[in-house]
Amino acid sequence: MTKEEFRKLTENILILDGATGSNLMASGMPRGICTETWVIDHKDIIQDLQRAYIQAGSQVIYAPTFGGNSINLEKHGLRDKIEEINRTLVGYSKELAGSGIYVAGDITTSGSFITADGDYTYTEAYNMYQEQIRILADAGIDLIAAETMINIEETLAAVDAAASVCDLPIMCTMTVEADGSIFSGGNAVEAAVSLEAAGADAVGINCSVGPDQLVSVVRNIKENVSIPVIAKPNAGMPVINEKGNAVYSMNAEEFAHHMKVLIENGASVVGGCCGTTPSFIKALHDTIR
């Protein structure tokens, strides 16, 4: 997909997929393991989930490459498997993507903060993203999704790295508090403005809180950028049950209702994060189509 094709695609509401991680855990994935290798060993589970998202109305599915960067894989002793892991996972998603369905290469934070005197530098972030994005692009993704980002500088490194290895569109979403503040400092509007200037093709928020708490954040981002605004929030706020699992507060219909409000306030690229399932995406699709 070219950047111009992405721009045209987002002239109408573009529907992304919903959660991956929370659904994998519901399907039996243990905590504390390397998600990417578990998914490789459970191809049927990830493909059943992504197939359900497509049937529900998703136009973009995220390849399960979220933690497929060198820093995360190193923690699991899998640094030397980075190309094999990313290529295999993109292949799983591409097998399902028919006409009008696009596969996003999913990337995320290293978990570290770039600071002036820190151990983690812009150059290290740039190199990490450059390596993974080059593999994803070669594997045939249609666009890039940098999601659940917690540091503006690191996200800028991802945008710069993407531009250095390919011409694919890149969507960037920060995880924020209800007031728009970012965990490492700054806020969603500052991030959106900086990312647009750096060359991002769409900006916004994912994960964070429920859609009911993000109206002003989405509106403020929309008022300050000229590119599409993304909203991919959680299914409300979670509570932890007696088994230690997160249970989210919204059902599919409530989620879709609040997502429609976010669209009315400027979001045009929409989906769901933690706690959402294909039924949430279907309710969202049916509400806005």
Side-chain angles (χ1 to χ4, degrees):
M1 183 191 298
T2 67
K3 290 176 178 286
E4 177 61 19
E5 287 169 339
F6 179 79
R7 188 193 66 77
K8 290 182 179 179
L9 191 64
T10 56
E11 288 176 355
N12 298 308
I13 301 299
L14 180 64
I15 302 179
L16 308 174
D17 60 11
T20 297
S22 57
N23 286 297
L24 295 180
M25 293 180 70
S27 297
M29 184 179 75
R31 298 177 186 273
I33 61 157
C34 178
T35 299
E36 289 67 36
T37 54
W38 189 90
V39 172
I40 286 175
D41 293 337
H42 296 82
K43 179 179 180 180
D44 57 328
I45 291 177
I46 189 64
Q47 287 196 326
D48 285 349
L49 176 62
Q50 293 193 321
R51 188 178 295 110
Y53 279 132
I54 292 170
Q55 292 171 349
S58 295
Q59 297 160 270
V60 177
I61 54 174
Y62 284 31
T65 53
F66 182 79
N69 61 67
S70 59
I71 292 178
N72 181 62
L73 294 177
E74 178 70 37
K75 296 173 184 175
H76 298 282
L78 296 166
R79 174 69 178 83
D80 61 332
K81 301 287 187 182
I82 185 170
E83 183 159 1
E84 176 187 341
I85 288 170
N86 281 277
R87 283 187 174 275
T88 300
L89 295 173
V90 170
Y92 285 4
S93 296
K94 282 177 63 66
E95 286 178 14
L96 303 176
S99 177
I101 305 299
Y102 303 94
V103 175
D106 194 12
I107 64 176
T108 193
T109 177
S110 67
S112 300
F113 299 147
I114 296 175
T115 58
D117 56 353
D119 295 327
Y120 181 55
T121 66
Y122 169 89
T123 299
E124 289 172 316
Y126 178 90
N127 290 338
M128 178 191 75
Y129 289 122
Q130 189 180 60
E131 179 182 25
Q132 187 183 14
I133 292 169
R134 180 181 286 114
I135 296 168
L136 294 173
D138 288 347
I141 59 169
D142 298 300
L143 68 163
I144 302 156
E147 67 164 341
T148 324
M149 303 301 290
I150 59 174
N151 183 272
I152 296 173
E153 291 76 16
E154 189 182 42
T155 316
L156 291 168
V159 174
D160 291 344
S164 76
V165 297
C166 67
D167 295 320
L168 296 174
I170 181 167
M171 306 185 297
C172 299
T173 51
M174 311 297 297
T175 183
V176 301
E177 301 294 338
D179 64 357
S181 61
I182 297 169
F183 182 67
S184 65
N187 62 65
V189 174
E190 293 172 357
V193 171
S194 296
L195 291 166
E196 178 180 21
D201 299 278
V203 291
I205 55 91
N206 82 287
C207 203
S208 311
V209 293
D212 55 323
Q213 298 186 58
L214 292 169
V215 177
S216 63
V217 175
V218 166
R219 185 190 308 119
N220 288 336
I221 294 174
K222 179 63 177 177
E223 290 173 350
N224 285 276
V225 300
S226 59
I227 54 178
V229 176
I230 308 163
K232 204 173 191 284
N234 291 343
M237 295 297 289
V239 294
I240 306 302
N241 66 15
E242 65 279 359
K243 295 182 179 180
N245 298 318
V247 178
Y248 289 82
S249 59
M250 284 187 182
N251 62 34
E253 288 69 30
E254 291 172 318
F255 178 82
H257 167 75
H258 290 293
M259 288 301 296
K260 186 177 181 182
V261 176
L262 293 188
I263 291 169
E264 291 167 351
N265 280 273
S268 59
V269 181
V270 293
C273 204
C274 303
T276 62
T277 66
S279 66
F280 282 69
I281 299 303
K282 185 178 189 307
L284 171 60
H285 172 274
D286 292 350
T287 297
I288 63 179
R289 289 293 190 246

